[in-house]
Amino acid sequence: MVASKTARGKVGRPPLERAGEVEERILDAAKTVFLANGFEGASVDEIAQTARAGKPTIYARFPSKAALFAAVIARHAARNTQYENLVPQGRTFRARLISLGLTLIERAFIEDTIGLMRTAIAENPRFPELTLEIQDTARKRATCNVSHAIGELARAEGLAGKGAFSADRIEESARIFLDIVVFAVLIRSLLGEDIRALKKEAQAHVEKRVDFFLAATT
């Protein structure tokens, strides 16, 4: 009897190498349910069923539906602001900045990104501190990573350490770049403008904003 139990292994919490997989499955399921039903319409029961996990398993990791929602948003924001591997294309500094801007807009227009941002905005009156923290964290990550990308482009152009591209100003320059190139058009999509139409405008939009950015920084 003892040998049989040993062969089957112990029943209980999953081993460490599987714990991360369980959490990812829960977050994937929660994202699906939140996108389909919004925060108010989502239930932990449905999330558990979608994730093929028990409610105790979920609550052991996320103490409330709000905490689960925050984790979904935070994970998506972290993934969507990883710009370290971006390699903007083009022969000139202007062309590479345009390439960078178009790539950032393309990422921002991912359907899940727009859906989660709209859900987070809708829940702001209910959880103002939570949504503010998520937005602040995502903005800081995006600014940090874009400042690195722009800094690398400036270095290749021989502008590193000069003016707007100096160590003490590059982060602010990246924030301005994000505001005028990405966030300006992202707000329009969040307000309900057709994303397909906005994508058609993207090239001209980015070119105009990059020209403005260069006029102010070089």
Side-chain angles (χ1 to χ4, degrees), residues 54-174:
K55 288 174 67 175
T57 300
I58 294 176
Y59 283 124
R61 292 163 171 79
F62 308 100
S64 65
K65 186 171 75 167
L68 181 55
F69 178 66
V72 169
I73 298 291
R75 183 186 68 159
H76 189 81
R79 289 177 174 178
N80 218 35
T81 53
Q82 289 177 346
Y83 306 141
E84 296 90 338
N85 297 323
L86 285 181
V87 183
Q89 303 299 309
R91 295 184 178 182
T92 66
F93 188 38
R94 176 181 182 272
R96 289 190 287 271
L97 285 175
I98 291 172
S99 173
L100 174 63
L102 288 170
T103 301
L104 297 180
I105 287 176
E106 184 179 349
R107 288 194 181 190
F109 279 170
I110 294 173
E111 186 176 352
D112 285 0
T113 300
I114 300 298
L116 288 172
M117 289 185 71
R118 284 174 175 163
T119 303
I121 291 169
E123 292 306 318
N124 184 65
R126 189 196 306 265
F127 307 111
E129 299 85 0
L130 176 63
T131 52
L132 180 62
E133 179 183 351
I134 292 169
Q135 293 167 17
D136 187 55
T137 300
R139 184 170 174 79
K140 285 180 178 177
R141 282 181 58 90
T143 300
C144 178
N145 291 333
V146 169
S147 67
H148 176 76
I150 292 178
E152 289 298 309
L153 295 180
R155 183 173 294 106
E157 193 70 14
L159 295 172
K162 300 178 181 178
F165 306 104
S166 61
D168 61 331
R169 296 181 65 187
I170 185 67
E171 189 168 309
E172 181 63 24
S173 296

Side-chain angles (χ1 to χ4, degrees), residues 105 180-182 184-185 201-210:
I105 287 176
I180 64 175
V181 175
V182 182
V185 71
E201 297 178 21
Q203 182 74 36
H205 166 86
V206 174
E207 288 178 359
K208 186 180 295 185
R209 268 71 181 173
V210 165

Side-chain angles (χ1 to χ4, degrees), residues 24 30 48 57 59 70 85 90 95 115-116 160 163 186-187 193 199 204:
E24 286 297 299
T57 300
Y59 283 124
N85 297 323
L116 288 172
L186 179 59
I187 289 173
E193 289 195 41
K199 285 182 177 180

